[in-house]
Amino acid sequence: MTIREMAEKREEEFLSEFACLSKDTRGRDVPEEPCDIRPAYQRDRDRILHCKSFRRLKHKTQVFLSPQGDHYRDRLTHTLEVSQIARTIAQALRLNESLTEAIAMGHDLGHTPFGHAGERVLNRVCPDGFVHCEQSIRVVEKLEKKGRGLNLTWEVRDGILNHRSSGHPATLEGKVVQLSDKIAYINHDIDDAERAGILREEEIPLEYRQILGSTIKERLNTMIHDIVTNSQGKPQIVQSPEVGQAMKNIRKFMFANVYTNPAAKGEETKAENMIEALYHFYMDHPLELPEEYVEMIEKQEEHAERVVCDYISGMTDQYAMTKYAEYFIPKAWQI
């Protein structure tokens, strides 16, 4: 018996009847020989961790655009916090931690530079639209490894695709990540907003703080315990009505007071103009794209509009600014 088979046997003996067992995966689009050490979902987690798109997340905006401080979240630290919260819940409910972690690590791979500002622009200018969760699937199925993709299991891809509020993950592990994403960004965005001086704890309505807590630690503790307590022994992931509604309300509060706050978002118009300018530039000059993207267009595998979105969405904030400067900012004359 291989190490992987022993790990799969332990899953079968220990995990909840509602967990997704590694041995029961619906598999990969391209069949592969199983690893002799790692079960399928652990292998997926490792592939995501080692891919280029994951590393680029460290230079992509979460909420605050290019913040001048070392402690503000970026898209990578957000991803790690989602993973930590999701694994805590999955472990408590005896769900598959490796599947949960793989979904969490991959859920934002398709995010654009400058956060949702970049996503809004590409969704507006691209005829087929642009949604970051769908782009994350393109990353893992087509764009990584020079067009070969990561060949992840069906369950991981389903969780990534359905992590937004409107999604319907097929596994409980996917549903855990869906809720953990919200828990993470609500709490760390409050923390960053307070650090930036655009929000004070006492400005959060008292009725929400009385239910969820008055510190990041208290709120995380309340939200996580609530899910665990209300989901034990059930074939679903649920919150209590009181905590679930308070979480929705504090999220609305954040949209009204932070996510649309001019102090936090004052530079977004510039970022949006830059992304739109890059889109039109590459549509007019497709040969300026890297060779692998040019080939996708020439072989008529994809429409040019989609390929240009692929390239721009993969950029970090700094790289997008560098390319914009290269194409649109005049350089000083040098003799």
Side-chain angles (χ1 to χ4, degrees):
M1 182 179 289
T2 65
I3 295 173
R4 170 185 54 80
E5 289 170 332
M6 287 189 286
E8 290 174 345
K9 184 173 178 59
R10 287 195 298 272
E11 284 185 4
E12 198 169 5
E13 293 171 348
F14 174 74
L15 293 186
S16 162
E17 62 181 303
F18 307 117
C20 193
L21 301 181
S22 300
K23 71 178 185 63
D24 294 333
T25 175
R26 289 173 56 170
R28 309 176 188 279
D29 284 348
V30 180
E32 298 178 6
E33 281 295 317
C35 177
D36 61 336
I37 295 177
R38 298 166 298 166
Y41 303 135
Q42 184 182 343
R43 202 177 186 187
D44 284 357
R45 187 279 313 272
D46 294 349
R47 290 182 180 184
I48 292 169
L49 182 67
H50 290 291
C51 78
K52 292 189 295 184
S53 299
F54 183 78
R55 295 196 293 276
R56 290 198 298 268
L57 294 177
K58 67 182 177 181
H59 296 303
K60 291 192 177 189
T61 292
Q62 174 60 27
V63 172
F64 293 90
L65 191 153
S66 300
Q68 298 300 307
D70 294 334
H71 300 126
Y72 291 95
R73 273 72 168 190
D74 52 39
R75 192 63 59 177
L76 179 60
T77 54
H78 161 72
T79 295
L80 295 176
E81 292 186 32
V82 173
S83 177
Q84 178 269 320
I85 292 168
R87 282 196 60 177
T88 297
I89 295 171
Q91 184 181 61
L93 296 175
R94 291 189 296 119
L95 299 177
N96 194 313
E97 285 187 63
S98 291
L99 173 56
T100 304
E101 186 175 21
I103 295 169
M105 297 291 252
H107 82 282
D108 269 354
L109 291 178
H111 239 302
T112 60
F114 310 114
H116 290 285
E119 182 175 16
R120 285 195 300 271
V121 174
L122 293 184
N123 185 52
R124 184 175 72 244
V125 298
C126 181
D128 296 329
F130 183 94
V131 182
H132 79 269
C133 58
E134 295 176 0
Q135 188 65 22
S136 295
I137 293 299
R138 281 185 61 78
V139 168
V140 301
E141 289 185 344
K142 188 174 183 66
L143 301 180
E144 273 290 337
K145 303 292 184 183
K146 295 187 179 298
R148 298 192 303 275
L150 301 180
N151 198 29
L152 303 181
T153 56
W154 182 88
E155 292 79 10
V156 172
R157 287 178 286 142
D158 170 80
I160 290 172
L161 179 62
N162 288 287
H163 77 268
R164 296 201 311 170
S165 298
S166 58
H168 300 283
T171 65
L172 294 193
E173 289 83 358
K175 292 175 182 176
V176 166
V177 173
Q178 186 182 49
L179 272 175
S180 297
D181 183 32
K182 295 176 182 59
I183 292 172
Y185 73 66
I186 287 170
N187 284 288
H188 66 51
D189 291 350
I190 290 174
D191 190 35
D192 282 353
E194 290 177 356
R195 178 172 294 106
I198 63 173
L199 179 68
R200 290 178 293 112
E201 182 68 34
E202 53 269 30
E203 292 177 320
I204 300 173
L206 180 60
E207 59 187 298
Y208 308 155
R209 287 185 280 135
Q210 287 176 330
I211 296 171
L212 300 175
S214 296
T215 66
I216 300 298
K217 179 179 178 180
E218 289 177 359
R219 282 188 286 269
L220 285 172
N221 191 58
T222 298
M223 293 177 183
I224 292 171
H225 275 79
D226 183 75
I227 291 172
V228 171
T229 300
N230 287 278
S231 304
Q232 287 279 7
K234 296 178 182 177
Q236 55 187 332
I237 303 300
V238 293
Q239 296 174 288
S240 66
E242 182 182 43
V243 169
Q245 188 59 53
M247 192 167 129
K248 289 178 182 177
N249 290 339
I250 204 169
R251 183 171 176 264
K252 290 179 182 177
F253 170 83
M254 289 295 290
F255 270 97
N257 293 274
V258 175
Y259 302 143
T260 57
N261 188 308
K265 299 298 184 179
E267 297 295 298
E268 276 197 354
T269 299
K270 297 177 186 177
E272 291 177 4
N273 291 339
M274 182 163 47
I275 294 296
E276 183 167 1
L278 286 172
Y279 176 85
H280 292 301
F281 176 85
Y282 286 120
M283 286 300 301
D284 293 338
H285 306 86
L287 295 182
E288 292 294 329
L289 293 166
E291 182 179 351
E292 62 195 90
Y293 292 89
V294 174
E295 287 181 1
M296 289 170 64
I297 297 174
E298 291 179 343
K299 292 179 181 179
Q300 297 184 330
E301 295 178 4
E302 303 281 355
H303 296 302
E305 293 87 350
R306 178 54 56 192
V307 175
V308 169
C309 283
D310 287 339
Y311 183 50
I312 293 175
S313 65
M315 293 179 175
T316 63
D317 294 7
Q318 185 58 54
Y319 189 71
M321 289 188 283
T322 298
K323 299 309 287 185
Y324 180 85
E326 178 183 334
Y327 300 137
F328 297 104
I329 306 297
K331 298 178 178 62
W333 174 257
Q334 295 180 349
I335 299 177

